[in-house]
Amino acid sequence: MSRPPTTRESARACACSQSTVSNALRDAPRISGETRARIQTIARSMGWKANPLASAYMAHLRSTREPAYRATLAFVISNPDSPRVEDLPLYQKCNYAGARARAESQGYRIETIWQHEPGLTARNLAHILQTRGIPGLLIPSFVQPSDMFDAMDWDGFASVAIGHALPGLPIDRATFNYNRSVPMALRKLYELGYRRIAVILSDTYDQKVGHGWLYPLYYEQRQGSTRDWVKSCIVPGTSKD
């Protein structure tokens, strides 16, 4: 054959469907290795050769398609004064923006749930989530602590706490590595020309993060290169810190 075979011709020779041939020729994992090898061997004998330009184009085409909708996830708004994302502290607005962008890229949607909605309890929150078909929650650090989630039945949801929200509860957690981030921040400040740096923490926040800032900070303060320009200060805090 002077030209490459079509998928129809290859399918006829392989005694299988065109879609099976197409998947096998692009090494799709849904086709067994044995079947892929058989189809590729027959196709090569008929003059087929892999086209890297076509493969690259199809990969680009698949990556730019709108992902299929999978599910809606809930992002908990913990601000006691407002249910609006716009009124959250900057770091939580960044959490929300990042979660939303990543979710949408994977076919998910984000819906907000206000923790301080009048009358909201763990039981009716679970009912609301189940009724709306929401299988998972993203829970950032609380602007104001609450014991509502202590009574939640977590078995029915895929839940992730961001930072130090809900310590001790049986849910997954995403937070940063203090042992790496604190020295990195201090050295970056030094590179930018700062020579008198103070780290100020409240005692309640220090307890909340398990001395995550102080341990690496104290280590850095004992190093010859940073001993004279990094100072720490612990101040009294409140339950809202």
Side-chain angles (χ1 to χ4, degrees):
M1 183 177 289
S2 59
R3 57 172 176 77
T6 65
T7 54
R8 183 188 296 273
E9 291 166 341
S10 297
R12 188 181 305 116
C14 297
C16 59
S17 68
Q18 283 183 257
S19 63
T20 299
V21 168
S22 177
N23 286 319
L25 295 182
R26 62 185 179 88
D27 281 324
R30 71 185 69 177
I31 307 299
S32 70
E34 182 180 349
T35 300
R36 272 184 281 160
R38 182 179 69 85
I39 291 174
Q40 289 175 10
T41 298
I42 295 174
R44 287 193 184 95
S45 71
M46 297 172 66
W48 172 81
K49 292 181 180 179
N51 185 332
L53 292 178
S55 299
Y57 173 74
M58 291 305 296
H60 168 73
L61 186 62
R62 287 190 291 271
S63 69
T64 55
R65 287 176 181 166
E66 191 72 22
Y69 170 73
R70 296 187 179 184
T72 297
L73 305 175
F75 184 95
V76 175
I77 302 290
S78 62
N79 185 351
D81 301 318
S82 171
R84 293 167 16 108
V85 172
E86 293 82 357
D87 296 328
L88 286 171
L90 177 60
Y91 72 96
Q92 287 199 11
K93 284 192 282 191
C94 292
N95 289 159
Y96 175 80
R100 181 175 178 180
R102 181 60 177 168
E104 290 178 350
S105 73
Q106 300 300 308
Y108 293 89
R109 295 174 187 163
I110 296 290
E111 180 175 322
T112 59
I113 296 288
W114 190 28
Q115 175 194 342
H116 298 280
E117 183 75 36
L120 187 64
T121 65
R123 175 177 293 183
N124 56 29
L125 172 59
H127 178 71
I128 290 171
L129 296 174
Q130 291 167 350
T131 301
R132 296 181 185 176
I134 298 177
L137 292 87
L138 300 174
I139 307 167
S141 297
F142 292 129
V143 175
Q144 179 172 311
S146 169
D147 58 2
M148 179 183 72
F149 290 106
D150 293 341
M152 278 284 289
D153 180 6
W154 297 102
D155 291 340
F157 304 98
S159 304
V160 176
I162 302 173
H164 295 272
L166 305 179
L169 291 183
I171 58 177
D172 292 321
R173 186 175 308 281
T175 188
F176 62 91
N177 186 327
Y178 291 99
N179 289 332
R180 293 181 62 87
S181 60
V182 172
M184 185 185 302
L186 295 174
R187 288 165 189 167
K188 184 62 176 179
L189 288 170
Y190 188 84
E191 291 172 7
L192 292 172
Y194 295 94
R195 295 297 181 270
R196 299 178 65 187
I197 300 172
V199 178
I200 303 174
L201 302 171
S202 71
D203 51 8
T204 51
Y205 182 78
D206 177 50
Q207 291 290 331
K208 181 178 179 181
V209 299
H211 312 298
W213 272 89
L214 291 184
Y215 287 149
L217 179 62
Y218 286 159
Y219 175 81
E220 288 297 310
Q221 288 176 311
R222 283 163 175 72
Q223 305 308 303
S225 60
T226 60
R227 183 178 301 140
D228 297 329
W229 54 272
V230 178
K231 305 298 181 183
S232 60
C233 180
I234 308 299
V235 298
T238 68
S239 62
K240 293 185 179 182
D241 289 353

